């Protein structure tokens, strides 16, 4: 049975990292690995920035930014090979940079950056990193095949956040990917990027390489999808907010999906679904500590654990919309009318709390507030609070833990909680606080629920 290994941007950031990745991949070689790579370090950000500069018509500045990106990759190559990298790798890098150079010039000339051109430009990052890693593995004597994932990762044409076509991906994987695989042989390919039926380059949205990995895993029915990153798995909270957060050894698909959706950046929110559908375990591991702890996500993972909660995630900025109507009491279709408005405007709602005469719900920062106000204002009073944060406590056992709400409220004694909601699947308890209180709320909750180690 095969395995998919995905390495994130920080895992391939420089020559030292790439060497580490090569060792991990070499170790996995007997398991017919498919390696999906992100762009190196901040390359994708830099490509987005170059495209934006080009859009302003600043050709020279955009091309300079591109030269810097190319130079960084060439420096990494020089370090990896301690001198001249293989000629075909150099040729690949040069040919690709000429293409991106032309694209940037085109954008600058027209001063127009379509999502379609942007995807073509940013795909450069993954194409480069995967070529470098494949060439390096090959020179270390590992039998390696490089695959342009656009031959397999079929998507629709929603550039910038394309929808994968799983049936097509499964059949293309059979013809394009599986024949390259074998025990002792490594297939190296890209995360994040895909292609439409017409051969146009697309991307799956920022952070989408995790999603690519699980889509590939599902397509080849891999035994495991490994997400290699810069932390020892999914932690009980974002380590940048809670430095004492610890890895969760086992968690369920539902918990991981919920954490990702509520802001835990460690996994792209869509990652889990293909793995759930194919019942493939996903592990999250630390590239610099391959022998260390890691998280395993499975259908039933952690459900037998007595921990009252599994982890805390948070997301900001969000906005809270409160809709009030004294007529609501008597109207059975009131909620229907409200959601009809959100549905028609294509606005996704994350958390809802209802009271007798009012409904509060949370939407993204960029939701079309004026349009929402106008439509809802026709039959109710609408108020909007911006700069809010959503803090979510996630765990399969939340609903089975008596006194949990008291502990949560106790922890929030000094914080003004504006809204509270227990998800309908009952594995998440969400709070809305002012954005300035987000970090404190997460820390206090973590202290109250995980401080003594019982929930690990
Ligand atoms: P990669 O480049 O490997 O895809 P990301 O930066 O996308 O890595 O995700 C890893 C980062 O996610 C960690 O460095 C950490 O700062 C952040 N993170 C946020 N919440 C969590 C969490 N609950 N557990 C682990 N990491 C988290
Ligand atoms: N390189 C892409 C990004 O930075 C995809 C990824 O890393 O997952 O968003
Ligand atoms: Mg990521």
């Amino acid at each position: 049975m095969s395995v998919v290994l995905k390495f994130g941007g920080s895992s391939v950031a420089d020559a030292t990292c790439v060497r580490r990745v090569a060792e991990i991949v070499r170790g996995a070689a007997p398991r017919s690995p498919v390696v999906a790579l992100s762009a190196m370090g901040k390359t994708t950000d830099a490509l987005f920035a170059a495209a934006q500069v080009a859009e302003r018509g600043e050709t020279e500045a955009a091309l300079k930014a591109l030269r810097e990106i190319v130079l960084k990759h060439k420096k990494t190559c020089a370090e990896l090979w301690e001198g001249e990298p293989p000629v075909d790798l150099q040729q690949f890098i040069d040919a690709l940079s000429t293409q991106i150079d032309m694209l940037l010039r085109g954008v600058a000339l027209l001063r127009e950056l379509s999502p379609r051109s942007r995807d073509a430009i940013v795909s450069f990052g993954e194409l480069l990193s995967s070529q470098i890693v494949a060439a390096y593995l090959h020179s270390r004597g590992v039998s390696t095949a490089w695959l342009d994932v656009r031959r397999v990762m079929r998507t629709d044409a929603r550039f910038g956040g394309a929808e994968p076509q799983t049936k097509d991906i499964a059949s293309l994987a059979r013809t394009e990917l599986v024949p390259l695989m074998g025990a002792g042989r490594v297939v190296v390919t890209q995360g994040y990027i895909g292609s439409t039926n017409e051969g146009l380059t697309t991307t799956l949205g920022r952070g989408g390489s995790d999603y690519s990995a699980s889509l590939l895993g599902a397509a080849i029915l891999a035994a495991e999808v490994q997400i290699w990153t810069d932390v020892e798995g999914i932690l009980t909270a974002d380590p940048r907010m809670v430095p004492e957060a610890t890895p969760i050894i086992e968690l369920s698909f539902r918990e991981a999906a919920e954490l990702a959706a509520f802001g835990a950046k460690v996994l792209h929110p869509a990652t889990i679904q293909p793995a759930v559908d194919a019942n493939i375990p996903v592990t999250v591991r630390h590239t610099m500590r391959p022998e260390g702890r890691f998280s395993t996500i499975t259908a039933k993972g952690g459900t037998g654990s007595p921990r009252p909660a599994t982890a805390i995630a948070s997301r900001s900025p969000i906005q809270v919309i409160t809709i009030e109507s004294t007529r609501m009491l008597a109207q059975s279709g009131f909620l229907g009318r409200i959601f009809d408005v959100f549905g028609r405007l294509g606005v996704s709602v994350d958390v809802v709390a209802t009271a007798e005469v009012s409904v509060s719900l949370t939407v993204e920062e960029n939701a079309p507030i004026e349009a929402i106000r106008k439509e809802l204002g026709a039959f109710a009073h609408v108020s909007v609070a911006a700069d809010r944060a959503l803090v979510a406590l996630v765990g399969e056992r939340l609903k089975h833990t008596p006194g949990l709400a008291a502990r949560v409220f106790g922890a929030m004694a000094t914080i003004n909680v504006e809204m509270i909601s227990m998800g309908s699947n009952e594995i998440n308890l969400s709070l809305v606080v002012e954005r300035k209180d987000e970090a404190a709320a997460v820390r206090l909750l973590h202290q109250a629920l995980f401080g003594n180690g019982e929930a690990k």
Side-chain angles (χ1 to χ4, degrees), residues 70-379:
V70 175
L71 193 67
K72 199 179 139 231
H73 285 81
K74 286 193 168 169
K75 270 191 181 150
T76 304
C77 291
E79 249 182 275
L80 277 173
W81 277 274
E82 291 167 2
E84 281 288 290
V87 175
D88 43 358
L89 176 63
Q90 295 188 46
Q91 282 170 349
F92 181 92
I93 296 177
D94 290 339
L96 207 59
S97 23
T98 305
Q99 273 181 35
I100 306 298
D101 179 298
M102 289 194 302
L103 283 170
L104 287 171
R105 280 177 202 271
V107 168
L109 264 176
L110 292 167
R111 293 194 193 185
E112 183 190 73
L113 178 64
S114 63
R116 174 170 159 178
S117 317
R118 191 191 284 122
D119 274 359
I121 292 168
V122 301
S123 70
F124 189 38
E126 270 69 13
L127 291 168
L128 272 183
S129 64
S130 61
Q131 274 283 335
I132 294 172
V133 170
Y136 184 66
L137 282 166
H138 180 74
S139 17
R140 299 291 313 275
V142 180
S143 167
T144 308
W146 181 83
L147 169 74
D148 185 333
V149 84
R150 292 173 295 186
R151 299 171 76 92
V152 174
M153 192 59 67
R154 185 66 70 246
T155 71
D156 68 7
R158 262 176 275 177
F159 299 98
E163 194 63 43
Q165 312 294 301
T166 42
K167 279 209 186 91
D168 293 342
I169 295 170
S171 78
L172 289 167
R174 271 192 297 278
T175 54
E176 303 286 332
L177 171 56
V178 173
L180 302 176
M181 295 168 58
R185 202 173 151 71
V186 178
V187 179
V188 178
T189 191
Q190 306 82 42
Y192 185 48
I193 67 173
S195 151
T196 65
N197 249 336
E198 292 77 38
L200 298 168
T201 300
T202 55
T203 63
L204 304 183
R206 293 306 306 268
S209 294
D210 300 333
Y211 193 18
S212 306
S214 75
L215 286 162
L216 291 172
I220 60 171
L221 292 175
E224 182 185 346
V225 173
Q226 302 181 347
I227 307 288
W228 290 86
T229 181
D230 61 354
V231 276
E232 282 177 308
I234 300 186
L235 310 182
T236 47
D238 184 339
R240 291 164 299 185
M241 260 182 222
V242 183
E244 66 273 20
T246 50
I248 306 157
I249 303 307
E250 277 183 79
L251 65 163
S252 69
F253 283 135
R254 296 206 308 164
E255 289 173 328
E258 206 72 7
L259 285 169
F262 278 90
K265 188 192 168 215
V266 62
L267 276 189
H268 182 281
T271 308
I272 292 300
Q273 199 52 48
V276 175
D277 295 343
N279 202 17
I280 299 171
V282 176
T283 56
V284 181
R285 301 160 185 260
H286 197 323
T287 306
M288 291 299 157
R289 287 181 217 151
E291 309 299 334
R293 295 174 293 181
F294 60 92
S295 296
T296 303
I297 310 164
T298 55
K300 293 225 177 312
T303 45
S305 152
R307 64 190 176 208
T310 303
I312 300 163
S314 68
R315 194 145 62 74
S316 68
I318 55 141
Q319 310 195 65
V320 177
I321 301 180
T322 301
I323 302 137
E324 285 176 83
S325 168
T326 43
R327 282 172 294 158
M328 181 177 165
L329 197 66
Q331 288 193 7
S332 55
F334 189 73
L335 283 177
R337 283 178 78 184
I338 293 178
F339 284 106
D340 179 52
V341 170
F342 286 93
R344 265 187 292 110
L345 295 173
V347 176
S348 102
V349 171
D350 288 315
V351 175
V352 185
T354 59
E356 199 62 40
V357 292
S358 72
V359 180
S360 294
L361 31 85
T362 66
V363 297
E364 289 297 321
E365 165 80 344
N366 57 6
I369 289 296
E370 280 324 305
I372 295 171
R373 256 188 209 284
K374 198 168 157 234
E375 296 228 10
L376 293 175
F379 59 93

Side-chain angles (χ1 to χ4, degrees), residues 347-426:
V347 176
S348 102
V349 171
D350 288 315
V351 175
V352 185
T354 59
E356 199 62 40
V357 292
S358 72
V359 180
S360 294
L361 31 85
T362 66
V363 297
E364 289 297 321
E365 165 80 344
N366 57 6
I369 289 296
E370 280 324 305
I372 295 171
R373 256 188 209 284
K374 198 168 157 234
E375 296 228 10
L376 293 175
F379 59 93
H381 178 260
V382 182
S383 57
V384 178
D387 252 338
R388 297 308 196 257
L390 197 56
V391 176
L393 182 63
V394 172
E396 291 275 1
R397 290 196 55 79
L398 289 185
K399 64 175 171 182
H400 303 296
T401 309
L404 186 90
R407 285 168 75 182
V408 170
F409 282 117
M412 294 292 96
T414 55
I415 306 258
N416 186 25
V417 177
E418 298 186 342
M419 199 175 143
I420 180 156
S421 164
M422 184 93 177
S424 57
N425 55 5
E426 293 172 313

Side-chain angles (χ1 to χ4, degrees), residues 25-55:
V25 172
R26 182 198 284 282
R31 299 178 70 192
S32 311
V34 174
V35 178
L37 293 163
S38 286
M40 290 174 68
K42 303 256 172 273
T43 305
T44 310
D45 288 340
L47 287 162
F48 268 93
Q52 229 167 14
V53 170
E55 189 184 19

